[in-house]
């Protein structure tokens, strides 16, 4: 996203001890490893000798001091086979009042939770306001929502997603010439994310991308394929705070750090797109280079079903009315 922020420089003081006292023999530290707050696995190469670095003179004079020796270590984010994601995505839409939450154990489940919750039960649909609460505070809301919608809930209830970051993708509008979505990023860890970035892959909709209103966003074409939209916060606002206590820590649940934007699309360049059927939802989502877990189902569009039911009800009422008068 920004090559100027892809490197880090630091100074190390090394003291020699007998029998290694030859000042001309310098051996850099080996086996480098870097741990990140969201991407904990970085694969680092061996130190490579490079030209000595220059840094400001410690005395404050307007001159540079040259290091005795400098090495370069290149590290890249890796995705070990079988490793759990660190972020997840929930889906919602204007045509369905329930939220499809992150998958059960999307980012792994601690072994001690198997006795109190189910690691295999599918996640329970939620009311939209439940996304603002930590998972441990959603149980009562999920059960009440299920009762209201006449749905059954598993017993025991499914475990949480256990993800440090969750992203809600909400299909906001859909009309003849375009459509829009709302993206909300939630940070459930205490560690803040400065200079964050994200990307969504949309196979059918990217060519219709128009604008993001609270993030910097642009469509990215790689190898002739235009299916990815990258985004980051606006200058000076590209900072997602960590989770904090509520106004009353003894009563109120923890409050996640969050940022939100609306993104608009046009249908001029994507004829035949069916937003409600799934074209309006991303097939892959990345946050800070980490691929996020997606829900296994999409929000359903019950408008046609409800319309058919309404017509059938009217037909039956007219039929009964005619039979009574005969």
């Amino acid at each position: 996203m920004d090559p100027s922020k892809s490197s880090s420089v630091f100074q190390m003081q090394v003291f020699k001890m007998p029998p290694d006292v030859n000042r001309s023999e310098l051996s850099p530290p080996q086996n480098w490893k870097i741990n990140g707050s969201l991407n904990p696995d970085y694969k680092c190469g061996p130190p490579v000798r490079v030209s000595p670095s220059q840094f400001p003179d410690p005395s404050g004079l307007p001159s540079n001091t040259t290091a005795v020796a400098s090495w370069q270590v290149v590290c890249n984010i890796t995705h070990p086979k079988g490793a759990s994601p660190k972020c997840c995505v929930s889906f919602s839409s204007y045509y369905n009042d329930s939220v499809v939450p992150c998958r059960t154990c999307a980012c792994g489940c601690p072994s001690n939770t198997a006795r109190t919750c189910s690691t295999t039960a599918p996640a329970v649909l939620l009311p939209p306001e439940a996304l603002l609460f930590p998972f441990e505070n959603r149980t009562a809301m999920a059960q009440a929502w299920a009762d209201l919608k006449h749905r059954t809930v598993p017993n025991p209830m499914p475990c949480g997603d256990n993800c440090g970051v969750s992203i809600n993708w909400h299909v906001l509008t859909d009309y003849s010439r375009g459509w829009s979505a709302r993206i909300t990023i939630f940070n459930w860890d205490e560690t803040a994310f400065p200079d964050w970035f994200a990307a969504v892959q949309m196979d059918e909709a990217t060519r219709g991308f128009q604008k993001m209103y609270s993030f910097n966003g642009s469509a990215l074409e790689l190898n002739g394929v235009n299916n990815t939209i990258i985004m980051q916060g606006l200058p000076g606002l590209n900072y997602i705070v960590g989770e904090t206590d509520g106004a009353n820590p003894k009563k109120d649940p923890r409050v996640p750090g969050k940022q939100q934007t609306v993104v608009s699309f046009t249908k001029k360049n994507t004829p035949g797109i069916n937003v409600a059927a799934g074209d309006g939802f991303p097939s892959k989502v990345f946050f800070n280079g980490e691929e996020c877990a997606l829900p296994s189902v999409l929000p359903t569009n019950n408008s046609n079903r409800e319309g058919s039911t309404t017509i059938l009800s009217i037909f039956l009422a007219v039929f009964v009315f005619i039979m009574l008068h005969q």
Side-chain angles (χ1 to χ4, degrees), residues 83-108:
S84 298
K86 306 298 184 299
C87 55
C88 65
V89 180
S90 62
F91 287 155
S92 57
S93 63
Y94 72 91
Y95 50 77
N96 195 312
D97 53 4
S98 295
V99 174
V100 180
C102 292
R103 295 202 315 259
T104 302
C105 295
C107 298

Side-chain angles (χ1 to χ4, degrees), residues 235-306:
L237 302 174
N238 194 24
Y239 191 94
I240 302 179
V241 300
E243 190 181 35
T244 57
D245 288 331
N248 188 342
K250 294 183 179 180
K251 296 181 180 180
D252 298 335
R254 301 267 287 172
V255 179
K258 56 184 177 294
Q259 285 196 0
Q260 185 180 86
T261 189
V262 172
V263 53
S264 60
F265 296 84
T266 178
K267 293 183 178 179
K268 180 180 179 180
N269 300 325
T270 55
I273 188 172
N274 193 332
V275 176
D279 294 343
F281 293 93
S283 57
K284 288 185 178 181
V285 177
F286 298 85
F287 182 83
N288 276 10
E290 178 76 17
E291 183 173 355
C292 304
L294 297 179
S296 55
V297 297
L298 299 175
T300 57
N301 187 353
N302 296 323
S303 58
N304 294 334
R305 185 183 305 174
E306 292 173 356

Side-chain angles (χ1 to χ4, degrees), residues 10 19-20 27 33 59 89 120 128 157 161 175 177 180 207 214 226 230 243 246 255 259 267 271 285 302-303 309 321:
F10 61 92
D20 184 18
S27 301
K33 183 179 180 181
S59 64
V89 180
T120 57
M157 291 285 282
D161 54 69
Y175 48 95
R177 293 184 295 177
S180 64
R207 293 188 305 274
S214 299
N226 186 5
I230 58 175
E243 190 181 35
V255 179
Q259 285 196 0
K267 293 183 178 179
V285 177
N302 296 323
S303 58
T309 304
F321 178 79

Side-chain angles (χ1 to χ4, degrees), residues 17-313:
M17 297 180 64
D20 184 18
V21 293
N22 189 342
R23 296 183 61 183
S24 63
E25 293 184 4
L26 300 175
S27 301
Q30 304 290 324
N31 301 323
W32 288 84
K33 183 179 180 181
I34 297 178
N35 291 330
S37 57
L38 186 70
N39 312 101
D41 297 300
Y42 286 74
K43 185 177 181 180
C44 299
V48 177
R49 187 76 175 259
V50 294
S51 300
S53 303
Q54 291 187 340
F55 48 90
D57 191 289
S59 64
L61 295 175
S63 62
N64 292 330
T65 301
T66 302
V68 174
S70 296
W71 288 264
Q72 183 183 69
V73 180
V74 178
C75 302
N76 292 306
I77 297 175
T78 60
H79 301 278
K81 187 177 181 180
S84 298
K86 306 298 184 299
C87 55
C88 65
V89 180
S90 62
F91 287 155
S92 57
S93 63
Y94 72 91
Y95 50 77
N96 195 312
D97 53 4
S98 295
V99 174
V100 180
C102 292
R103 295 202 315 259
T104 302
C105 295
C107 298
C109 272
S111 58
N112 59 356
T113 62
R115 299 179 181 178
T116 57
C117 61
S118 173
T119 59
T120 57
V124 178
L125 298 180
L126 299 172
E129 61 271 16
L131 294 178
L132 299 172
F133 292 84
F135 180 83
E136 56 270 17
N137 297 91
R138 297 178 183 178
T139 303
M141 302 176 71
Q143 291 176 337
W145 188 249
D147 292 341
L148 182 65
K149 299 297 180 180
H150 306 289
R151 300 190 188 101
T152 58
V153 295
N155 187 17
M157 291 285 282
C159 298
D161 54 69
N162 296 300
C163 297
V165 171
S166 63
I167 301 174
N168 175 247
W169 181 277
H170 177 81
V171 175
L172 190 61
T173 61
D174 185 14
Y175 48 95
S176 60
R177 293 184 295 177
W179 62 283
S180 64
R182 184 178 64 228
I183 307 169
T184 309
I185 303 175
F186 298 94
N187 182 9
W188 300 101
D189 277 340
E190 295 183 356
T191 303
F193 290 103
D195 300 321
W196 64 269
F197 64 94
V200 294
Q201 180 176 310
M202 306 187 72
D203 299 328
E204 303 297 331
T206 301
R207 293 188 305 274
F209 169 76
Q210 282 186 312
K211 184 179 179 181
M212 284 191 183
Y213 295 90
S214 299
F215 296 165
N216 273 337
S218 60
L220 180 67
E221 183 173 342
L222 291 175
N223 299 324
V225 179
N226 186 5
N227 67 350
T228 303
I229 302 172
I230 58 175
M231 67 193 80
Q232 60 185 156
L234 296 172
L237 302 174
N238 194 24
Y239 191 94
I240 302 179
V241 300
E243 190 181 35
T244 57
D245 288 331
N248 188 342
K250 294 183 179 180
K251 296 181 180 180
D252 298 335
R254 301 267 287 172
V255 179
K258 56 184 177 294
Q259 285 196 0
Q260 185 180 86
T261 189
V262 172
V263 53
S264 60
F265 296 84
T266 178
K267 293 183 178 179
K268 180 180 179 180
N269 300 325
T270 55
I273 188 172
N274 193 332
V275 176
D279 294 343
F281 293 93
S283 57
K284 288 185 178 181
V285 177
F286 298 85
F287 182 83
N288 276 10
E290 178 76 17
E291 183 173 355
C292 304
L294 297 179
S296 55
V297 297
L298 299 175
T300 57
N301 187 353
N302 296 323
S303 58
N304 294 334
R305 185 183 305 174
E306 292 173 356
S308 301
T309 304
T310 302
I311 294 174
L312 179 61
S313 300

